[in-house]
């Protein structure tokens, strides 16, 4: 079913264990008002040829690119996502050595039936936001920032031994417990494979 909206854009800082490098997620915080989210995925692909034809094909997640259009990136959010510094006068200072820590990104997209599809991207490393500015002309044109990040799999394996990079669920699906939807932004969703 088609989506017709995007909102509730959150991020959750990640703390990594110094020895195991496994992630734990802090409480999600609203990032900004969402304008757009574009996710593209790159796959590692290999084909084994035998008996003059393709015998086996393997396609695995390599990484992705997330491009977010937002209404504004505040100073605290800029510091959390990109590693910039905020000085004593609350001025954002960008340095060539900046590099933010990865964060989890959550959002939801409204479907045409009024229900939502919810997402968590488990590990996103952002770069410096793009700034688009234009002079004021005869009509009003909004200029908003775009921030792009690389989506990675997380270090922490789930109970099935895999390293997830995304979780998504559709509100209203018969087998989805209501608590999964109601708790979506209270913490980053952890896969549940326990029987």
């Amino acid at each position: 079913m088609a989506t017709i909206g995007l909102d509730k854009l959150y991020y959750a800082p990640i703390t990594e264990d110094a020895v195991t490098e496994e992630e734990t997620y802090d409480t999600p915080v609203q990032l900004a008002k969402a304008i757009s989210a574009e996710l593209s995925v790159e796959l590692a692909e290999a084909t084994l040829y035998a008996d003059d034809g393709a015998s086996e094909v393997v396609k695995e997640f390599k990484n992705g690119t997330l491009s977010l259009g937002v209404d504004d990136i505040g100073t605290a959010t800029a510091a959390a996502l990109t590693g910039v510094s905020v000085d004593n006068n609350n001025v954002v200072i960008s340095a060539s050595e900046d590099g933010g820590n990865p964060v989890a990104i959550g959002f939801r997209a409204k479907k045409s039936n009024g229900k939502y599809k919810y997402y968590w991207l488990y590990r996103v490393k952002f770069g410096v936001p793009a700034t688009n500015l234009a002079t004021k002309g005869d009509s009003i044109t909004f200029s908003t920032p775009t921030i792009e990040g690389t989506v990675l799999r997380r270090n922490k394996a789930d109970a099935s031994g895999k390293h997830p990079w995304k979780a998504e669920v559709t509100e209203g699906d018969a087998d989805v417990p209501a608590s999964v939807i109601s708790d979506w932004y209270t913490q980053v969703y952890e896969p549940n494979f326990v029987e």
Side-chain angles (χ1 to χ4, degrees):
M1 185 171 293
T3 59
I4 58 172
L6 173 70
D7 68 353
K8 298 259 187 180
L9 180 58
Y10 280 71
Y11 74 95
I14 297 173
T15 304
E16 290 185 28
D17 183 281
V19 176
T20 65
E21 295 184 346
E22 287 188 358
E23 302 92 344
T24 55
Y25 300 97
D26 294 347
T27 303
V29 178
Q30 188 161 16
L31 192 153
K33 291 182 179 179
I35 296 173
S36 64
E38 183 178 328
L39 176 64
S40 60
V41 175
E42 188 174 336
L43 299 175
E45 185 174 335
T47 304
L48 173 66
Y49 290 93
D51 287 339
D52 294 333
S55 175
E56 293 183 39
V57 176
V58 176
K59 293 184 180 194
E60 293 181 353
F61 174 80
K62 184 175 177 184
N63 62 40
T65 301
L66 177 66
S67 183
L68 294 174
V70 294
D71 67 333
D72 189 25
I73 298 175
T75 55
T77 303
L81 297 184
T82 66
V84 298
S85 301
V86 179
D87 75 4
N88 294 337
N89 294 318
N90 207 34
V91 175
V92 174
I93 307 298
S94 297
S96 61
E97 297 83 6
D98 291 344
N101 294 321
V103 297
I105 296 292
F107 52 90
R108 69 181 189 173
K110 190 172 188 178
K111 297 170 49 171
S112 58
N113 66 358
K115 303 289 185 184
Y116 288 90
K117 189 166 202 164
Y118 291 79
Y119 298 86
W120 272 112
L121 301 175
Y122 284 117
R123 189 175 178 85
V124 182
K125 175 101 171 158
F126 284 101
V128 177
T131 304
N132 302 307
L133 304 171
T135 189
K136 184 177 171 185
D138 291 338
S139 62
I140 296 172
T141 303
F142 289 104
S143 295
T144 58
T146 300
I147 187 165
E148 190 171 286
T150 301
V151 180
L152 306 164
R153 72 175 201 159
R154 70 182 196 176
N155 297 328
K156 180 179 178 181
D158 61 23
S160 68
K162 296 180 180 178
H163 296 85
W165 63 275
K166 177 177 76 168
E168 64 182 88
V169 66
T170 301
E171 178 183 29
D173 280 359
D175 296 331
V176 176
S179 62
V180 170
I181 302 301
S182 64
D183 293 344
W184 197 254
Y185 293 108
T186 60
Q187 61 187 12
V188 175
Y189 180 79
E190 285 290 338
N192 179 3
F193 292 106
V194 179
E195 303 225 4

